[in-house]
Amino acid sequence: DESTDIHFQFNGLIFFFLVTSITAVEKKQYIFATILFTVAVNLKHTFLCMAPTFAVFVIREYCFDNNWNIRSVITRATSLGFSSLFIFVIAFGPWMRSHNWSPVIERLFPFGRGLCHAYWAPNFWAIYNVLDIVAAFIAKKWFGIEGSNGHSMTRGLVGVSSHSMLPTVTPSISALLVLLTLIPILFRVARKSSKDSLSESLAASALGYFLFGWHIHEKHILMCTVPLSLVALQKPQFAGVCLMLHMIAAISMFPLLFHTKEFLVKVSLTAIQLFLYRLAFQNNNIQIRYVRILVFTSVLLALEVYREFIHSFVFGDRFEFLALMFTSVACAVGNVFLFGVFWKNLFWS
């Protein structure tokens, strides 16, 4: 469908601005990089999760270089600020004149759309939802305790839902968890070190937002995989995480292409992706534990085979959300595991 094609092409354009801004930072073109990144943020507001990391890194490198003084710091910081502000004024100028900010705020911060999307993104909240379902089942079956009333998380609809047994997650709780994952990264970036790069720090910021953010879409994982790919060949400690994260990301988005005739295409493209990454890592003498990646990928593919071909044969039109839940939760387990590995390599390697 044409609207879907345009949607994915638009996301490709946004990542062009992100990658180009990272490249500009590596070339020490900090004003140009700030303009490009601000354009990316204005095109896709979810990139705001990476904005503090980007800002701290650029300020550290540009304003506090080896020959800095107070006057140069103020001058350079002002240049960065006006470069970013200029883009925001262009983007939000029409609303500034109309003084009608309500539609903008509602669109940028869709708290009324609920914690999870209709198809759960494979993040921490997918696991939390399943734990709530299991707890409600056990409480009713074994102890005769009914969970709290409210809209079920398994309706497959967009909207505010509540948990039955576990505490219901609010936007403020979600924001607090995202902030807690971001603060250590900002401290790490603020330290002057030649060993770190912008790409890995942006990827870590995006992964924390993906796991704990409010109303996350499954494709938001690309905010992590794209910058992480830029550094995986230079830093072998991130190669395994990068490859496995790509496999999980690809399979978690299989349900978006929901026609049965597309299944072979999806699997083939994922296999080609795995082959190309393996070839790139081998050419750079990077050793990865492929067995673990292949085993977990095989499990995810088996769940997709069940969702695509077996579930409807067994249950007909019933429990349609169940098969999607299997894929979402399995991918979520992998993403949470990789979050731990990524942080271990980021802070202690």
Side-chain angles (χ1 to χ4, degrees), residues 170-182:
T170 63
S172 57
I173 293 174
S174 172
L176 177 62
L177 290 175
V178 172
L179 183 62
L180 288 176
T181 65
L182 183 61

Side-chain angles (χ1 to χ4, degrees), residues 324-345:
L324 288 172
M325 187 175 69
F326 287 156
T327 297
S328 179
V329 173
C331 291
V333 170
N335 284 332
V336 171
F337 169 76
L338 290 178
F339 176 76
V341 176
F342 190 14
W343 269 51
K344 173 180 174 293
N345 293 338

Side-chain angles (χ1 to χ4, degrees), residues 70 159 181 211 314:
I70 296 298
T181 65
L211 288 179
V314 175

